[in-house]
Amino acid sequence: MLFNLTFEGNLADEPELRITPSGKAVCKLRVGHNTRRRSNGGEWTNGPTMWVTVTCWESLAERCAEHLRKGDTVIVEARDDLSVWAYQSPNSDKPAGQLQVTAGNVAVSMRFAGAQSARTAKAEQVEDPWAAGDRELEPAF
């Protein structure tokens, strides 16, 4: 069975990058997903915020720590290993919960602000063997 979880939210804290004893990079992101709905009167009302702890590994972890900042709106594609933790909120004594997921991918949302790619040009261009260029083509037979 295929399970996909994709959600959008804002980073509540700066990404936290650590290195495991075995040398793998791991980055924790705290993402708040707001449930905002339009009331019958036409006004927007904010519902409860769903807090998600996102774990990123290896090169994705390094890129998240380098390029993401607190307040960025991100889109997270979570893998199929998620955990839900229930607790009692210390401020209001109401039941609350937190979702923990492992990210397969994290992207910056461009719905509210622009973003730029940090991709660098390749160091060397590989010559296309099928391009004729300025040389004459030889017959195939």
Side-chain angles (χ1 to χ4, degrees), residues 22-96:
S22 64
K24 291 189 179 193
V26 59
C27 184
K28 294 279 187 186
L29 306 173
R30 187 166 176 249
V31 180
H33 172 76
N34 294 319
T35 54
R36 188 170 189 181
R37 304 284 185 259
R38 193 179 293 255
S39 69
N40 292 338
E43 294 184 16
W44 287 99
T45 58
N46 290 327
T49 300
M50 178 180 71
W51 292 104
V52 184
T53 300
V54 179
T55 303
C56 306
W57 289 94
E58 300 184 34
S59 58
L60 178 60
E62 293 170 355
R63 283 191 291 276
C64 285
E66 182 179 349
H67 297 287
L68 297 178
R69 295 293 164 253
K70 178 180 177 178
D72 285 347
T73 303
V74 295
I75 299 170
V76 178
E77 293 178 13
R79 297 191 326 205
D80 59 356
D81 55 347
L82 58 91
S83 302
V84 178
W85 299 95
Y87 62 93
Q88 191 168 4
S89 178
N91 298 338
S92 64
D93 291 333
K94 291 183 181 178

Side-chain angles (χ1 to χ4, degrees), residues 63 67 116-122:
R63 283 191 291 276
H67 297 287
Q116 295 217 351
S117 173
R119 180 178 285 198
T120 56
K122 291 183 179 179

